[in-house]
Amino acid sequence: KAGVTQTPRYLIKTRGQQVTLSCSPISGHRSVSWYQQTPGQGLQFLFEYFSETQRNKGNFPGRFSGRQFSNSRSEMNVSTLELGDSALYLCASTLQQGGVNNEQFFGPGTRLTVL
Amino acid sequence: AQSVTQLDSHVSVSEGTPVLLRCNYSSSYSPSLFWYVQHPNKGLQLLLKYTSAATLVKGINGFEAEFKKSETSFHLTKPSAHMSDAAEYFCVVSDKGSGGYNKLIFGAGTRLAVHP
């Protein structure tokens, strides 16, 4: 079974631009979560989608948004990019929403550099 | 609110010696705790998880962790380090977000170096 895939793997953008990242979960998984990893702030939860609805949200500005499609694939969008948005963006998929035993499977990440 | 504190940002051991990575947690209810490992330029991989079934949890690659409620700790250990264990390790607690438990709170990470 294929793992979580993220595209693109690397992106370079300039300040003020917007960017869209894509995540394809493991086949059959219905929940997708997004995390931002930076040297200064570490790994932080962005949001979670299940059945095309945002179920959980982290403490990020409204410039960060996402969506999920009927096939469970998810995209996240960052508008008006700032230098501080440079980070590794990780996507994780889970079989079900909620539940303490749900293991999250992570993709390799998209490395975003904002110049 | 849930939180985890990893007590060491860097740990250095010699190959063949024991590994101890320390983690304390704070939780207002019975927590679910995890250890994840991240190798350079790779995604995160689950090493083990505690979900109240047993306090001593065995994971992959010879790692194990013990949940100690009285000490609010969940330290990761391995009897004998291997060069391939060099990576960054994250202690993680699952938070009860509005939609369930899928929100993970990560510690700052411990970078493990293994020397020959």
Side-chain angles (χ1 to χ4, degrees), chain A residues 31 35 37 43 45 48 55-56 90 96-104 106-107, chain B residues 32 34 36 38 41 43-44 46 49 51 90 97-104 106:
Chain A
S31 172
Y35 295 83
Q37 185 176 23
L43 273 150
F45 172 80
E48 180 205 3
R55 303 289 182 164
N56 276 315
L90 292 163
Q96 302 281 359
Q97 180 207 9
V100 297
N101 293 321
N102 288 338
E103 177 181 348
Q104 295 198 25
F106 284 82
Chain B
S32 288
F34 309 80
Y36 278 85
Q38 186 176 36
N41 300 315
L44 291 156
L46 179 68
K49 64 181 179 183
T51 55
F90 294 93
S98 59
Y101 291 94
N102 278 349
K103 178 179 178 179
L104 298 182
F106 284 79

PDB file of all heavy atoms in Angstrom, chain A residues 31 35 37 43 45 48 55-56 90 96-104 106-107, chain B residues 32 34 36 38 41 43-44 46 49 51 90 97-104 106:
ATOM      1  N   SER A  31      -9.005  10.906   7.126  1.00  0.00           N
ATOM      2  CA  SER A  31      -8.648  12.121   7.858  1.00  0.00           C
ATOM      3  C   SER A  31      -7.254  12.573   7.437  1.00  0.00           C
ATOM      4  O   SER A  31      -6.324  11.762   7.361  1.00  0.00           O
ATOM      5  CB  SER A  31      -8.680  11.846   9.363  1.00  0.00           C
ATOM      6  OG  SER A  31      -8.176  12.942  10.078  1.00  0.00           O
ATOM      7  N   TYR A  35       0.778  19.944   9.371  1.00  0.00           N
ATOM      8  CA  TYR A  35       1.662  20.476  10.402  1.00  0.00           C
ATOM      9  C   TYR A  35       2.733  21.329   9.731  1.00  0.00           C
ATOM     10  O   TYR A  35       3.160  21.061   8.611  1.00  0.00           O
ATOM     11  CB  TYR A  35       2.350  19.342  11.172  1.00  0.00           C
ATOM     12  CG  TYR A  35       1.402  18.492  11.975  1.00  0.00           C
ATOM     13  CD1 TYR A  35       0.694  17.441  11.385  1.00  0.00           C
ATOM     14  CD2 TYR A  35       1.191  18.738  13.329  1.00  0.00           C
ATOM     15  CE1 TYR A  35      -0.185  16.667  12.113  1.00  0.00           C
ATOM     16  CE2 TYR A  35       0.312  17.955  14.067  1.00  0.00           C
ATOM     17  CZ  TYR A  35      -0.372  16.923  13.445  1.00  0.00           C
ATOM     18  OH  TYR A  35      -1.240  16.162  14.178  1.00  0.00           O
ATOM     19  N   GLN A  37       6.644  22.703  10.311  1.00  0.00           N
ATOM     20  CA  GLN A  37       7.863  22.476  11.080  1.00  0.00           C
ATOM     21  C   GLN A  37       8.897  23.542  10.740  1.00  0.00           C
ATOM     22  O   GLN A  37       9.325  23.678   9.586  1.00  0.00           O
ATOM     23  CB  GLN A  37       8.440  21.087  10.809  1.00  0.00           C
ATOM     24  CG  GLN A  37       9.649  20.755  11.672  1.00  0.00           C
ATOM     25  CD  GLN A  37      10.160  19.335  11.479  1.00  0.00           C
ATOM     26  OE1 GLN A  37       9.933  18.707  10.455  1.00  0.00           O
ATOM     27  NE2 GLN A  37      10.849  18.807  12.479  1.00  0.00           N
ATOM     28  N   LEU A  43       7.355  21.708  15.571  1.00  0.00           N
ATOM     29  CA  LEU A  43       6.219  21.151  14.836  1.00  0.00           C
ATOM     30  C   LEU A  43       4.928  21.675  15.427  1.00  0.00           C
ATOM     31  O   LEU A  43       4.656  21.488  16.618  1.00  0.00           O
ATOM     32  CB  LEU A  43       6.236  19.626  14.932  1.00  0.00           C
ATOM     33  CG  LEU A  43       7.070  18.907  13.888  1.00  0.00           C
ATOM     34  CD1 LEU A  43       7.619  17.606  14.430  1.00  0.00           C
ATOM     35  CD2 LEU A  43       6.216  18.653  12.650  1.00  0.00           C
ATOM     36  N   PHE A  45       0.599  22.119  14.821  1.00  0.00           N
ATOM     37  CA  PHE A  45      -0.607  21.656  14.145  1.00  0.00           C
ATOM     38  C   PHE A  45      -1.285  22.823  13.425  1.00  0.00           C
ATOM     39  O   PHE A  45      -1.495  23.892  14.011  1.00  0.00           O
ATOM     40  CB  PHE A  45      -1.540  21.044  15.187  1.00  0.00           C
ATOM     41  CG  PHE A  45      -2.911  20.680  14.679  1.00  0.00           C
ATOM     42  CD1 PHE A  45      -3.108  19.513  13.974  1.00  0.00           C
ATOM     43  CD2 PHE A  45      -3.991  21.501  14.940  1.00  0.00           C
ATOM     44  CE1 PHE A  45      -4.370  19.157  13.518  1.00  0.00           C
ATOM     45  CE2 PHE A  45      -5.257  21.162  14.503  1.00  0.00           C
ATOM     46  CZ  PHE A  45      -5.445  19.995  13.791  1.00  0.00           C
ATOM     47  N   GLU A  48      -7.035  19.941  10.590  1.00  0.00           N
ATOM     48  CA  GLU A  48      -7.392  18.577  10.231  1.00  0.00           C
ATOM     49  C   GLU A  48      -8.684  18.601   9.430  1.00  0.00           C
ATOM     50  O   GLU A  48      -9.609  19.365   9.744  1.00  0.00           O
ATOM     51  CB  GLU A  48      -7.594  17.705  11.474  1.00  0.00           C
ATOM     52  CG  GLU A  48      -7.975  16.265  11.132  1.00  0.00           C
ATOM     53  CD  GLU A  48      -8.740  15.559  12.234  1.00  0.00           C
ATOM     54  OE1 GLU A  48      -9.038  16.179  13.268  1.00  0.00           O
ATOM     55  OE2 GLU A  48      -9.046  14.372  12.049  1.00  0.00           O
ATOM     56  N   ARG A  55     -12.148  19.904  10.885  1.00  0.00           N
ATOM     57  CA  ARG A  55     -12.615  19.415  12.190  1.00  0.00           C
ATOM     58  C   ARG A  55     -11.824  20.009  13.341  1.00  0.00           C
ATOM     59  O   ARG A  55     -12.324  20.138  14.449  1.00  0.00           O
ATOM     60  CB  ARG A  55     -12.511  17.887  12.243  1.00  0.00           C
ATOM     61  CG  ARG A  55     -13.268  17.201  11.140  1.00  0.00           C
ATOM     62  CD  ARG A  55     -14.768  17.282  11.313  1.00  0.00           C
ATOM     63  NE  ARG A  55     -15.487  16.573  10.272  1.00  0.00           N
ATOM     64  CZ  ARG A  55     -16.764  16.224  10.346  1.00  0.00           C
ATOM     65  NH1 ARG A  55     -17.451  16.526  11.429  1.00  0.00           N
ATOM     66  NH2 ARG A  55     -17.347  15.585   9.352  1.00  0.00           N
ATOM     67  N   ASN A  56     -10.545  20.296  13.112  1.00  0.00           N
ATOM     68  CA  ASN A  56      -9.685  20.861  14.146  1.00  0.00           C
ATOM     69  C   ASN A  56      -8.872  21.962  13.498  1.00  0.00           C
ATOM     70  O   ASN A  56      -8.537  21.891  12.313  1.00  0.00           O
ATOM     71  CB  ASN A  56      -8.704  19.809  14.696  1.00  0.00           C
ATOM     72  CG  ASN A  56      -9.311  18.955  15.783  1.00  0.00           C
ATOM     73  OD1 ASN A  56      -9.958  19.454  16.682  1.00  0.00           O
ATOM     74  ND2 ASN A  56      -9.076  17.656  15.702  1.00  0.00           N
ATOM     75  N   LEU A  90       4.192  19.294   6.686  1.00  0.00           N
ATOM     76  CA  LEU A  90       3.957  17.862   6.739  1.00  0.00           C
ATOM     77  C   LEU A  90       2.472  17.563   6.740  1.00  0.00           C
ATOM     78  O   LEU A  90       1.694  18.233   7.409  1.00  0.00           O
ATOM     79  CB  LEU A  90       4.596  17.274   8.002  1.00  0.00           C
ATOM     80  CG  LEU A  90       6.122  17.289   8.052  1.00  0.00           C
ATOM     81  CD1 LEU A  90       6.612  17.075   9.469  1.00  0.00           C
ATOM     82  CD2 LEU A  90       6.688  16.219   7.142  1.00  0.00           C
ATOM     83  N   GLN A  96      -9.444   7.076  10.656  1.00  0.00           N
ATOM     84  CA  GLN A  96     -10.709   7.655  11.083  1.00  0.00           C
ATOM     85  C   GLN A  96     -10.453   8.999  11.723  1.00  0.00           C
ATOM     86  O   GLN A  96      -9.348   9.308  12.127  1.00  0.00           O
ATOM     87  CB  GLN A  96     -11.398   6.752  12.122  1.00  0.00           C
ATOM     88  CG  GLN A  96     -11.682   5.357  11.673  1.00  0.00           C
ATOM     89  CD  GLN A  96     -12.911   5.269  10.805  1.00  0.00           C
ATOM     90  OE1 GLN A  96     -13.567   6.277  10.554  1.00  0.00           O
ATOM     91  NE2 GLN A  96     -13.221   4.069  10.363  1.00  0.00           N
ATOM     92  N   GLN A  97     -11.478   9.749  11.892  1.00  0.00           N
ATOM     93  CA  GLN A  97     -11.365  10.990  12.655  1.00  0.00           C
ATOM     94  C   GLN A  97     -11.469  10.668  14.139  1.00  0.00           C
ATOM     95  O   GLN A  97     -12.256   9.805  14.541  1.00  0.00           O
ATOM     96  CB  GLN A  97     -12.495  11.947  12.292  1.00  0.00           C
ATOM     97  CG  GLN A  97     -12.426  13.249  13.057  1.00  0.00           C
ATOM     98  CD  GLN A  97     -13.782  13.888  13.217  1.00  0.00           C
ATOM     99  OE1 GLN A  97     -14.795  13.306  12.912  1.00  0.00           O
ATOM    100  NE2 GLN A  97     -13.809  15.103  13.715  1.00  0.00           N
ATOM    101  N   GLY A  98     -10.670  11.363  14.931  1.00  0.00           N
ATOM    102  CA  GLY A  98     -10.789  11.215  16.367  1.00  0.00           C
ATOM    103  C   GLY A  98     -10.337   9.856  16.875  1.00  0.00           C
ATOM    104  O   GLY A  98      -9.873   9.020  16.123  1.00  0.00           O
ATOM    105  N   GLY A  99     -10.434   9.652  18.177  1.00  0.00           N
ATOM    106  CA  GLY A  99     -10.055   8.357  18.734  1.00  0.00           C
ATOM    107  C   GLY A  99      -8.611   8.335  19.172  1.00  0.00           C
ATOM    108  O   GLY A  99      -7.720   8.656  18.403  1.00  0.00           O
ATOM    109  N   VAL A 100      -8.350   7.928  20.387  1.00  0.00           N
ATOM    110  CA  VAL A 100      -7.000   8.019  20.928  1.00  0.00           C
ATOM    111  C   VAL A 100      -6.055   7.024  20.301  1.00  0.00           C
ATOM    112  O   VAL A 100      -4.850   7.165  20.374  1.00  0.00           O
ATOM    113  CB  VAL A 100      -7.006   7.821  22.451  1.00  0.00           C
ATOM    114  CG1 VAL A 100      -7.796   8.914  23.118  1.00  0.00           C
ATOM    115  CG2 VAL A 100      -7.564   6.456  22.826  1.00  0.00           C
ATOM    116  N   ASN A 101      -6.556   5.972  19.690  1.00  0.00           N
ATOM    117  CA  ASN A 101      -5.674   4.968  19.126  1.00  0.00           C
ATOM    118  C   ASN A 101      -5.321   5.221  17.671  1.00  0.00           C
ATOM    119  O   ASN A 101      -4.617   4.414  17.060  1.00  0.00           O
ATOM    120  CB  ASN A 101      -6.312   3.585  19.252  1.00  0.00           C
ATOM    121  CG  ASN A 101      -6.420   3.141  20.691  1.00  0.00           C
ATOM    122  OD1 ASN A 101      -5.512   3.375  21.477  1.00  0.00           O
ATOM    123  ND2 ASN A 101      -7.521   2.521  21.042  1.00  0.00           N
ATOM    124  N   ASN A 102      -5.765   6.317  17.126  1.00  0.00           N
ATOM    125  CA  ASN A 102      -5.503   6.559  15.715  1.00  0.00           C
ATOM    126  C   ASN A 102      -4.050   6.949  15.486  1.00  0.00           C
ATOM    127  O   ASN A 102      -3.596   7.976  15.969  1.00  0.00           O
ATOM    128  CB  ASN A 102      -6.412   7.670  15.200  1.00  0.00           C
ATOM    129  CG  ASN A 102      -7.844   7.214  15.080  1.00  0.00           C
ATOM    130  OD1 ASN A 102      -8.115   6.033  14.985  1.00  0.00           O
ATOM    131  ND2 ASN A 102      -8.755   8.164  15.083  1.00  0.00           N
ATOM    132  N   GLU A 103      -3.359   6.116  14.741  1.00  0.00           N
ATOM    133  CA  GLU A 103      -1.984   6.458  14.385  1.00  0.00           C
ATOM    134  C   GLU A 103      -2.001   7.357  13.165  1.00  0.00           C
ATOM    135  O   GLU A 103      -2.729   7.118  12.208  1.00  0.00           O
ATOM    136  CB  GLU A 103      -1.183   5.197  14.068  1.00  0.00           C
ATOM    137  CG  GLU A 103       0.241   5.491  13.613  1.00  0.00           C
ATOM    138  CD  GLU A 103       1.024   4.246  13.283  1.00  0.00           C
ATOM    139  OE1 GLU A 103       0.552   3.147  13.626  1.00  0.00           O
ATOM    140  OE2 GLU A 103       2.102   4.380  12.682  1.00  0.00           O
ATOM    141  N   GLN A 104      -1.200   8.398  13.216  1.00  0.00           N
ATOM    142  CA  GLN A 104      -1.068   9.289  12.081  1.00  0.00           C
ATOM    143  C   GLN A 104       0.162   8.890  11.275  1.00  0.00           C
ATOM    144  O   GLN A 104       1.249   8.727  11.825  1.00  0.00           O
ATOM    145  CB  GLN A 104      -0.962  10.741  12.534  1.00  0.00           C
ATOM    146  CG  GLN A 104      -2.222  11.234  13.213  1.00  0.00           C
ATOM    147  CD  GLN A 104      -2.319  12.740  13.295  1.00  0.00           C
ATOM    148  OE1 GLN A 104      -1.728  13.460  12.494  1.00  0.00           O
ATOM    149  NE2 GLN A 104      -3.074  13.233  14.256  1.00  0.00           N
ATOM    150  N   PHE A 106       2.765   9.963   8.390  1.00  0.00           N
ATOM    151  CA  PHE A 106       3.241  11.218   7.832  1.00  0.00           C
ATOM    152  C   PHE A 106       3.853  11.040   6.448  1.00  0.00           C
ATOM    153  O   PHE A 106       4.518  10.039   6.166  1.00  0.00           O
ATOM    154  CB  PHE A 106       4.288  11.846   8.758  1.00  0.00           C
ATOM    155  CG  PHE A 106       3.697  12.490   9.979  1.00  0.00           C
ATOM    156  CD1 PHE A 106       3.354  11.733  11.090  1.00  0.00           C
ATOM    157  CD2 PHE A 106       3.459  13.859  10.009  1.00  0.00           C
ATOM    158  CE1 PHE A 106       2.801  12.320  12.213  1.00  0.00           C
ATOM    159  CE2 PHE A 106       2.902  14.462  11.133  1.00  0.00           C
ATOM    160  CZ  PHE A 106       2.575  13.697  12.231  1.00  0.00           C
ATOM    161  N   GLY A 107       3.649  12.060   5.622  1.00  0.00           N
ATOM    162  CA  GLY A 107       4.330  12.124   4.340  1.00  0.00           C
ATOM    163  C   GLY A 107       5.720  12.718   4.498  1.00  0.00           C
ATOM    164  O   GLY A 107       6.097  13.137   5.599  1.00  0.00           O
TER     165      GLY A 107
ATOM    166  N   SER B  32      -2.838  10.220  25.722  1.00  0.00           N
ATOM    167  CA  SER B  32      -2.233   9.300  24.768  1.00  0.00           C
ATOM    168  C   SER B  32      -0.896   9.904  24.392  1.00  0.00           C
ATOM    169  O   SER B  32      -0.824  11.081  24.024  1.00  0.00           O
ATOM    170  CB  SER B  32      -3.102   9.135  23.524  1.00  0.00           C
ATOM    171  OG  SER B  32      -4.247   8.390  23.831  1.00  0.00           O
ATOM    172  N   PHE B  34       3.047   9.435  22.465  1.00  0.00           N
ATOM    173  CA  PHE B  34       3.725   8.807  21.347  1.00  0.00           C
ATOM    174  C   PHE B  34       5.191   9.261  21.317  1.00  0.00           C
ATOM    175  O   PHE B  34       5.542  10.321  21.831  1.00  0.00           O
ATOM    176  CB  PHE B  34       3.092   9.228  20.012  1.00  0.00           C
ATOM    177  CG  PHE B  34       1.592   9.076  19.938  1.00  0.00           C
ATOM    178  CD1 PHE B  34       0.750  10.014  20.506  1.00  0.00           C
ATOM    179  CD2 PHE B  34       1.028   8.003  19.276  1.00  0.00           C
ATOM    180  CE1 PHE B  34      -0.636   9.888  20.420  1.00  0.00           C
ATOM    181  CE2 PHE B  34      -0.342   7.861  19.188  1.00  0.00           C
ATOM    182  CZ  PHE B  34      -1.169   8.809  19.768  1.00  0.00           C
ATOM    183  N   TYR B  36       7.865   9.745  18.116  1.00  0.00           N
ATOM    184  CA  TYR B  36       8.104   9.698  16.686  1.00  0.00           C
ATOM    185  C   TYR B  36       9.595   9.956  16.434  1.00  0.00           C
ATOM    186  O   TYR B  36      10.259  10.656  17.197  1.00  0.00           O
ATOM    187  CB  TYR B  36       7.298  10.781  15.959  1.00  0.00           C
ATOM    188  CG  TYR B  36       5.857  10.440  15.679  1.00  0.00           C
ATOM    189  CD1 TYR B  36       4.876  10.653  16.645  1.00  0.00           C
ATOM    190  CD2 TYR B  36       5.471   9.920  14.446  1.00  0.00           C
ATOM    191  CE1 TYR B  36       3.545  10.351  16.373  1.00  0.00           C
ATOM    192  CE2 TYR B  36       4.142   9.619  14.169  1.00  0.00           C
ATOM    193  CZ  TYR B  36       3.194   9.839  15.144  1.00  0.00           C
ATOM    194  OH  TYR B  36       1.875   9.542  14.860  1.00  0.00           O
ATOM    195  N   GLN B  38      12.422  11.194  13.346  1.00  0.00           N
ATOM    196  CA  GLN B  38      12.557  11.843  12.039  1.00  0.00           C
ATOM    197  C   GLN B  38      14.020  11.760  11.602  1.00  0.00           C
ATOM    198  O   GLN B  38      14.888  12.374  12.222  1.00  0.00           O
ATOM    199  CB  GLN B  38      12.098  13.302  12.102  1.00  0.00           C
ATOM    200  CG  GLN B  38      12.071  13.992  10.740  1.00  0.00           C
ATOM    201  CD  GLN B  38      11.525  15.413  10.845  1.00  0.00           C
ATOM    202  OE1 GLN B  38      11.762  16.113  11.825  1.00  0.00           O
ATOM    203  NE2 GLN B  38      10.777  15.838   9.829  1.00  0.00           N
ATOM    204  N   ASN B  41      15.756  14.640   6.169  1.00  0.00           N
ATOM    205  CA  ASN B  41      15.036  14.696   4.897  1.00  0.00           C
ATOM    206  C   ASN B  41      13.998  13.583   4.749  1.00  0.00           C
ATOM    207  O   ASN B  41      13.680  13.169   3.637  1.00  0.00           O
ATOM    208  CB  ASN B  41      16.021  14.650   3.718  1.00  0.00           C
ATOM    209  CG  ASN B  41      16.985  15.806   3.752  1.00  0.00           C
ATOM    210  OD1 ASN B  41      16.600  16.948   3.977  1.00  0.00           O
ATOM    211  ND2 ASN B  41      18.257  15.522   3.566  1.00  0.00           N
ATOM    212  N   GLY B  43      10.146  11.925   6.451  1.00  0.00           N
ATOM    213  CA  GLY B  43       8.969  12.232   7.251  1.00  0.00           C
ATOM    214  C   GLY B  43       9.084  11.622   8.635  1.00  0.00           C
ATOM    215  O   GLY B  43      10.095  11.028   8.999  1.00  0.00           O
ATOM    216  N   LEU B  44       8.059  11.768   9.411  1.00  0.00           N
ATOM    217  CA  LEU B  44       8.023  11.252  10.776  1.00  0.00           C
ATOM    218  C   LEU B  44       7.534   9.808  10.787  1.00  0.00           C
ATOM    219  O   LEU B  44       6.590   9.464  10.087  1.00  0.00           O
ATOM    220  CB  LEU B  44       7.089  12.105  11.631  1.00  0.00           C
ATOM    221  CG  LEU B  44       7.584  13.521  11.905  1.00  0.00           C
ATOM    222  CD1 LEU B  44       6.423  14.438  12.207  1.00  0.00           C
ATOM    223  CD2 LEU B  44       8.553  13.505  13.071  1.00  0.00           C
ATOM    224  N   LEU B  46       6.335   6.639  13.430  1.00  0.00           N
ATOM    225  CA  LEU B  46       5.922   6.295  14.778  1.00  0.00           C
ATOM    226  C   LEU B  46       6.807   5.186  15.332  1.00  0.00           C
ATOM    227  O   LEU B  46       6.959   4.141  14.720  1.00  0.00           O
ATOM    228  CB  LEU B  46       4.466   5.836  14.791  1.00  0.00           C
ATOM    229  CG  LEU B  46       3.904   5.425  16.154  1.00  0.00           C
ATOM    230  CD1 LEU B  46       3.793   6.645  17.067  1.00  0.00           C
ATOM    231  CD2 LEU B  46       2.539   4.761  15.990  1.00  0.00           C
ATOM    232  N   LYS B  49       3.503   3.916  20.975  1.00  0.00           N
ATOM    233  CA  LYS B  49       2.431   4.748  21.517  1.00  0.00           C
ATOM    234  C   LYS B  49       1.908   4.146  22.813  1.00  0.00           C
ATOM    235  O   LYS B  49       1.895   2.931  22.987  1.00  0.00           O
ATOM    236  CB  LYS B  49       1.297   4.896  20.512  1.00  0.00           C
ATOM    237  CG  LYS B  49       0.569   3.602  20.164  1.00  0.00           C
ATOM    238  CD  LYS B  49      -0.525   3.866  19.133  1.00  0.00           C
ATOM    239  CE  LYS B  49      -1.242   2.575  18.752  1.00  0.00           C
ATOM    240  NZ  LYS B  49      -2.270   2.805  17.694  1.00  0.00           N
ATOM    241  N   THR B  51      -1.495   4.129  25.152  1.00  0.00           N
ATOM    242  CA  THR B  51      -2.916   4.496  25.174  1.00  0.00           C
ATOM    243  C   THR B  51      -3.620   3.840  26.349  1.00  0.00           C
ATOM    244  O   THR B  51      -4.770   3.464  26.259  1.00  0.00           O
ATOM    245  CB  THR B  51      -3.597   4.094  23.856  1.00  0.00           C
ATOM    246  OG1 THR B  51      -3.371   2.700  23.623  1.00  0.00           O
ATOM    247  CG2 THR B  51      -3.058   4.886  22.690  1.00  0.00           C
ATOM    248  N   PHE B  90      10.850  12.883  18.723  1.00  0.00           N
ATOM    249  CA  PHE B  90       9.817  13.772  19.246  1.00  0.00           C
ATOM    250  C   PHE B  90       8.884  13.013  20.172  1.00  0.00           C
ATOM    251  O   PHE B  90       8.348  11.956  19.807  1.00  0.00           O
ATOM    252  CB  PHE B  90       8.992  14.374  18.102  1.00  0.00           C
ATOM    253  CG  PHE B  90       9.767  15.287  17.205  1.00  0.00           C
ATOM    254  CD1 PHE B  90      10.370  14.816  16.052  1.00  0.00           C
ATOM    255  CD2 PHE B  90       9.911  16.636  17.528  1.00  0.00           C
ATOM    256  CE1 PHE B  90      11.097  15.652  15.222  1.00  0.00           C
ATOM    257  CE2 PHE B  90      10.640  17.486  16.703  1.00  0.00           C
ATOM    258  CZ  PHE B  90      11.227  16.991  15.553  1.00  0.00           C
ATOM    259  N   GLY B  97      -8.929  17.894  20.428  1.00  0.00           N
ATOM    260  CA  GLY B  97      -9.413  19.054  19.698  1.00  0.00           C
ATOM    261  C   GLY B  97     -10.916  18.980  19.524  1.00  0.00           C
ATOM    262  O   GLY B  97     -11.560  18.013  19.918  1.00  0.00           O
ATOM    263  N   SER B  98     -11.452  20.005  18.913  1.00  0.00           N
ATOM    264  CA  SER B  98     -12.903  20.076  18.765  1.00  0.00           C
ATOM    265  C   SER B  98     -13.449  18.911  17.964  1.00  0.00           C
ATOM    266  O   SER B  98     -14.593  18.503  18.130  1.00  0.00           O
ATOM    267  CB  SER B  98     -13.295  21.399  18.094  1.00  0.00           C
ATOM    268  OG  SER B  98     -12.677  21.492  16.819  1.00  0.00           O
ATOM    269  N   GLY B  99     -12.625  18.353  17.110  1.00  0.00           N
ATOM    270  CA  GLY B  99     -13.084  17.258  16.269  1.00  0.00           C
ATOM    271  C   GLY B  99     -12.646  15.901  16.731  1.00  0.00           C
ATOM    272  O   GLY B  99     -12.833  14.911  16.047  1.00  0.00           O
ATOM    273  N   GLY B 100     -12.039  15.803  17.908  1.00  0.00           N
ATOM    274  CA  GLY B 100     -11.583  14.499  18.359  1.00  0.00           C
ATOM    275  C   GLY B 100     -10.134  14.545  18.784  1.00  0.00           C
ATOM    276  O   GLY B 100      -9.597  15.577  19.148  1.00  0.00           O
ATOM    277  N   TYR B 101      -9.447  13.447  18.719  1.00  0.00           N
ATOM    278  CA  TYR B 101      -8.110  13.345  19.267  1.00  0.00           C
ATOM    279  C   TYR B 101      -7.009  13.469  18.237  1.00  0.00           C
ATOM    280  O   TYR B 101      -5.873  13.211  18.540  1.00  0.00           O
ATOM    281  CB  TYR B 101      -7.953  12.006  19.988  1.00  0.00           C
ATOM    282  CG  TYR B 101      -8.754  11.890  21.251  1.00  0.00           C
ATOM    283  CD1 TYR B 101     -10.012  11.325  21.241  1.00  0.00           C
ATOM    284  CD2 TYR B 101      -8.232  12.353  22.451  1.00  0.00           C
ATOM    285  CE1 TYR B 101     -10.745  11.220  22.402  1.00  0.00           C
ATOM    286  CE2 TYR B 101      -8.962  12.249  23.613  1.00  0.00           C
ATOM    287  CZ  TYR B 101     -10.219  11.679  23.590  1.00  0.00           C
ATOM    288  OH  TYR B 101     -10.941  11.572  24.739  1.00  0.00           O
ATOM    289  N   ASN B 102      -7.272  13.842  17.049  1.00  0.00           N
ATOM    290  CA  ASN B 102      -6.241  13.800  16.023  1.00  0.00           C
ATOM    291  C   ASN B 102      -5.259  14.948  16.048  1.00  0.00           C
ATOM    292  O   ASN B 102      -4.388  15.037  15.217  1.00  0.00           O
ATOM    293  CB  ASN B 102      -6.888  13.715  14.639  1.00  0.00           C
ATOM    294  CG  ASN B 102      -7.273  12.295  14.316  1.00  0.00           C
ATOM    295  OD1 ASN B 102      -6.886  11.378  15.013  1.00  0.00           O
ATOM    296  ND2 ASN B 102      -8.032  12.131  13.263  1.00  0.00           N
ATOM    297  N   LYS B 103      -5.395  15.872  16.978  1.00  0.00           N
ATOM    298  CA  LYS B 103      -4.454  16.981  17.068  1.00  0.00           C
ATOM    299  C   LYS B 103      -3.281  16.549  17.925  1.00  0.00           C
ATOM    300  O   LYS B 103      -3.440  16.202  19.084  1.00  0.00           O
ATOM    301  CB  LYS B 103      -5.153  18.189  17.688  1.00  0.00           C
ATOM    302  CG  LYS B 103      -4.287  19.401  17.880  1.00  0.00           C
ATOM    303  CD  LYS B 103      -5.106  20.533  18.487  1.00  0.00           C
ATOM    304  CE  LYS B 103      -4.256  21.753  18.748  1.00  0.00           C
ATOM    305  NZ  LYS B 103      -5.073  22.855  19.331  1.00  0.00           N
ATOM    306  N   LEU B 104      -2.097  16.539  17.343  1.00  0.00           N
ATOM    307  CA  LEU B 104      -0.899  16.133  18.058  1.00  0.00           C
ATOM    308  C   LEU B 104      -0.128  17.355  18.522  1.00  0.00           C
ATOM    309  O   LEU B 104       0.070  18.301  17.755  1.00  0.00           O
ATOM    310  CB  LEU B 104      -0.014  15.265  17.165  1.00  0.00           C
ATOM    311  CG  LEU B 104      -0.613  13.946  16.671  1.00  0.00           C
ATOM    312  CD1 LEU B 104       0.415  13.189  15.827  1.00  0.00           C
ATOM    313  CD2 LEU B 104      -1.073  13.079  17.826  1.00  0.00           C
ATOM    314  N   PHE B 106       3.536  18.394  19.770  1.00  0.00           N
ATOM    315  CA  PHE B 106       4.901  17.884  19.711  1.00  0.00           C
ATOM    316  C   PHE B 106       5.800  18.572  20.724  1.00  0.00           C
ATOM    317  O   PHE B 106       5.674  19.784  20.976  1.00  0.00           O
ATOM    318  CB  PHE B 106       5.493  18.114  18.316  1.00  0.00           C
ATOM    319  CG  PHE B 106       4.977  17.165  17.271  1.00  0.00           C
ATOM    320  CD1 PHE B 106       3.740  17.358  16.687  1.00  0.00           C
ATOM    321  CD2 PHE B 106       5.735  16.080  16.874  1.00  0.00           C
ATOM    322  CE1 PHE B 106       3.264  16.482  15.727  1.00  0.00           C
ATOM    323  CE2 PHE B 106       5.276  15.202  15.918  1.00  0.00           C
ATOM    324  CZ  PHE B 106       4.019  15.400  15.344  1.00  0.00           C
TER     325      PHE B 106
END
